[in-house]
Amino acid sequence: MTNDKALKSSVLHSLKWVALGRATTQILRWILTFWVISILTPEDYGIVAIADILSSLLVTMASTIAISPLVQARTLDKAAISSYFGITLCIYFLLFCFQYLLAEPIATLYKTPYVAEVLKVSAWCFLLMAFETIPSALLRRAMAFKKLALIDAMSNIIAAISTLLFAIYGYGFWALVYGGIVAAAVRVTLLLYHHPAPCLPSFNVKHSLPLIRFGGSISVFTLLWYIFIHLDITIGGLLLSTTEIGIFTVALNIAVMPQRKILPLVKEISFPAFSQLQDEPAKISYFIVKAQRLGLLFTLPIFWGLAAVSDYILPIILGQKWEAAILPTMLILVLMPLRFSDELFQPAAKALGKVSYLITNTLIMIAIIALALFITADLGATGLAMAWLLGFPLIYIIVLIRYSRLFNFQLGTFLYSISKIVLSAALMVISVIATKQLLGTPSILNLLLLISVGGVSYLLALFVVERKTLKELKQAISTR
């Protein structure tokens, strides 16, 4: 049986270091990201977004196949590590070839010649990243997130500064490409320096067959999940101009920015933690529901608060040329708490080995969102955002029912447990909108005032209607 206090202490220690590492770089990265957006054009982002359809898919699949099986395995010896090291090297080399050969066909399909050049250049990253997988997986398995946080912080800061410098010196969309290459090179170098692989690669697959089987099922889920997440750009890229795609990409990047910073933090810690509890499903059920409630406590005010002030943030930070991104940003932000909640279930399902459950969920998601996108895509960037707003609530209802059966919790009880948090966030939004009616044109001072009103109104609402969850949060972060 797992020692609950020891696991809690390990999770909180890991969370502290991952959060600290992210926090120390986040403000700087946001400033630099917005600076880069103000320099580049919608077309620059459109070109990279189209190329990203393929390259991000391959990167995501490769890292998932290489890392997840090593983290999830109950036992792991040097022979299995060596064998799987050899397999991952082969996989990354094949992915390099695959992306390089598909560069021209993808560019032809989307009628954007620069896409081929971007894909060919970024393909070389696979030959670098092949050597980071074993050190990264073993550090995650040991929950050594302090070291990982420091490495990520250093690579992210250097990459963000590099991207900005390339943008300032007129490299256009290449600034985004070269920035990604710099990030990969720095991260691999630091990982190999601080935690080199404990053995040389071998190609005797019999020592890693269980890892290969789990990695295969994970790869199917990852492929489907990637298709789902990138359906908007994939379908929109065929029907809309690169400028419209660029506007939607910036809107999407701004809307999902908080999730991209918060959710990986939670998932990279919760997966190894749940893996330690895989023989105790009752505990997983308890902790996943608790994590959902505490997750919504933070994500609802962040996403809905940003939605309420997007018409102030974007003109102030990005300038008038990105005004068309305001409405798509708002629409996506409204549904982001549901996407966060859905993805928060996934580490527990993986830890239980229920990857087929995730595959079925993702197939349902793809069908619904694809239909919504074809219906609304002719409305441009706003239409792509509307597809998510219309389709994802239906998706969430379906998958939530399925998760309640998988994790054995009462759906009605779960919904009631989060209802007061949702009410508090709704009251916050109403307070912000009411305050906006009293203010003039967007300005930094007015934006700060709106943020203050939103924060105070949310905390007051929680204190009045949901003190229980606040006490639960205090208990959760207590190390005693």
Side-chain angles (χ1 to χ4, degrees), residues 9-72:
S9 177
S10 179
V11 169
L12 289 175
H13 179 75
S14 300
L15 185 61
K16 177 186 74 174
W17 277 106
V18 175
L20 182 62
R22 298 280 168 86
T24 54
T25 61
Q26 199 49 65
I27 294 177
L28 176 61
R29 287 199 67 194
W30 277 349
I31 292 172
L32 296 178
T33 297
F34 286 129
W35 194 347
V36 170
I37 292 174
S38 68
I39 295 173
L40 302 182
T41 67
E43 187 175 6
D44 289 329
Y45 278 90
I47 291 169
V48 176
I50 292 173
D52 207 43
I53 294 172
L54 176 64
S55 59
S56 288
L57 166 63
L58 300 182
V59 169
T60 303
M61 286 190 64
S63 61
T64 303
I65 294 170
I67 292 175
S68 295
L70 294 174
V71 175
Q72 195 265 353

Side-chain angles (χ1 to χ4, degrees), residues 43-122:
E43 187 175 6
D44 289 329
Y45 278 90
I47 291 169
V48 176
I50 292 173
D52 207 43
I53 294 172
L54 176 64
S55 59
S56 288
L57 166 63
L58 300 182
V59 169
T60 303
M61 286 190 64
S63 61
T64 303
I65 294 170
I67 292 175
S68 295
L70 294 174
V71 175
Q72 195 265 353
R74 284 182 171 88
T75 59
L76 198 62
D77 56 29
K78 187 169 286 189
I81 296 173
S82 178
S83 174
Y84 208 67
F85 190 7
I87 292 169
T88 56
L89 290 178
C90 294
I91 290 172
Y92 274 81
F93 178 73
L94 290 174
L95 292 176
F96 160 74
C97 297
F98 188 69
Q99 178 167 314
Y100 201 93
L101 293 174
L102 279 182
E104 294 291 348
I106 294 291
T108 302
L109 176 64
Y110 285 95
K111 301 176 182 179
T112 310
Y114 286 123
V115 167
E117 298 178 34
V118 171
L119 287 172
K120 289 179 179 179
V121 171
S122 61

Side-chain angles (χ1 to χ4, degrees), residues 102-325:
L102 279 182
E104 294 291 348
I106 294 291
T108 302
L109 176 64
Y110 285 95
K111 301 176 182 179
T112 310
Y114 286 123
V115 167
E117 298 178 34
V118 171
L119 287 172
K120 289 179 179 179
V121 171
S122 61
W124 290 94
C125 285
F126 286 109
L127 302 185
L128 277 174
M129 293 185 294
F131 294 94
E132 77 170 80
T133 55
I134 299 300
S136 181
L138 295 180
L139 286 171
R140 281 171 169 77
R141 181 179 176 84
M143 300 191 73
F145 289 101
K146 176 181 178 180
K147 186 173 290 186
L148 283 169
L150 294 174
I151 291 172
D152 286 343
M154 182 65 69
S155 60
N156 287 335
I157 290 173
I158 293 174
I161 294 173
S162 300
T163 302
L164 176 61
L165 290 175
F166 284 125
I168 290 174
Y169 284 98
Y171 281 79
F173 62 84
W174 285 113
L176 304 174
V177 179
Y178 294 154
I181 295 173
V182 169
V186 173
R187 187 174 61 252
V188 171
T189 301
L190 292 175
L191 276 169
L192 290 176
Y193 177 78
H194 289 287
H195 196 280
C199 54
L200 294 175
S202 74
F203 301 93
N204 188 346
V205 297
K206 71 176 183 179
H207 294 296
S208 57
L209 285 176
L211 300 177
I212 295 171
R213 283 192 288 268
F214 184 77
S217 60
I218 282 288
S219 67
V220 173
F221 164 65
T222 302
L223 173 61
L224 293 174
W225 181 257
Y226 185 89
I227 291 172
F228 165 67
I229 290 297
H230 290 81
L231 269 177
D232 42 26
I233 302 296
T234 304
I235 294 175
L238 295 172
L239 303 175
L240 305 174
S241 66
T242 52
T243 299
E244 285 286 347
I245 293 299
I247 291 170
F248 176 75
T249 299
V250 168
L252 183 65
N253 285 339
I254 293 172
V256 303
M257 191 177 289
Q259 173 161 324
R260 286 176 177 170
K261 309 311 172 187
I262 299 171
L263 191 60
L265 180 154
V266 177
K267 290 172 76 172
E268 69 180 331
I269 295 171
S270 59
F271 179 43
F274 282 131
S275 294
Q276 294 183 29
L277 293 172
Q278 58 187 288
D279 295 323
E280 304 174 67
K283 286 187 178 180
I284 288 186
S285 299
Y286 169 77
F287 284 121
I288 192 61
V289 172
K290 188 173 184 177
Q292 284 285 336
R293 191 163 58 252
L294 295 178
L296 287 174
L297 184 70
F298 289 101
T299 56
L300 274 169
I302 292 174
F303 289 119
W304 287 6
L306 286 173
V309 297
S310 291
D311 55 338
Y312 277 55
I313 293 177
L314 269 67
I316 291 173
I317 297 178
L318 303 183
Q320 295 301 316
K321 72 177 180 179
W322 291 101
E323 187 175 353

Side-chain angles (χ1 to χ4, degrees), residues 256-404:
V256 303
M257 191 177 289
Q259 173 161 324
R260 286 176 177 170
K261 309 311 172 187
I262 299 171
L263 191 60
L265 180 154
V266 177
K267 290 172 76 172
E268 69 180 331
I269 295 171
S270 59
F271 179 43
F274 282 131
S275 294
Q276 294 183 29
L277 293 172
Q278 58 187 288
D279 295 323
E280 304 174 67
K283 286 187 178 180
I284 288 186
S285 299
Y286 169 77
F287 284 121
I288 192 61
V289 172
K290 188 173 184 177
Q292 284 285 336
R293 191 163 58 252
L294 295 178
L296 287 174
L297 184 70
F298 289 101
T299 56
L300 274 169
I302 292 174
F303 289 119
W304 287 6
L306 286 173
V309 297
S310 291
D311 55 338
Y312 277 55
I313 293 177
L314 269 67
I316 291 173
I317 297 178
L318 303 183
Q320 295 301 316
K321 72 177 180 179
W322 291 101
E323 187 175 353
I326 294 175
L327 182 55
T329 303
M330 286 183 174
L331 295 177
I332 298 169
L333 280 166
V334 169
L335 64 88
M336 284 309 299
L338 297 183
R339 280 187 51 175
F340 186 97
S341 176
D342 168 66
E343 291 194 50
L344 198 55
F345 283 114
Q346 294 177 11
K350 289 181 184 178
L352 289 175
K354 303 293 185 180
V355 181
S356 60
Y357 219 85
L358 297 176
I359 291 173
T360 302
N361 284 352
T362 311
L363 288 171
I364 294 170
M365 295 176 175
I366 290 173
I368 294 175
I369 287 296
L371 178 61
L373 285 166
F374 278 113
I375 292 173
T376 62
D378 60 342
L379 298 176
T382 300
L384 298 181
M386 285 179 62
W388 283 104
L389 184 62
L390 295 174
F392 201 82
L394 174 60
I395 287 171
Y396 185 75
I397 292 171
I398 295 172
V399 298
L400 183 60
I401 292 172
R402 287 174 51 79
Y403 280 130
S404 69

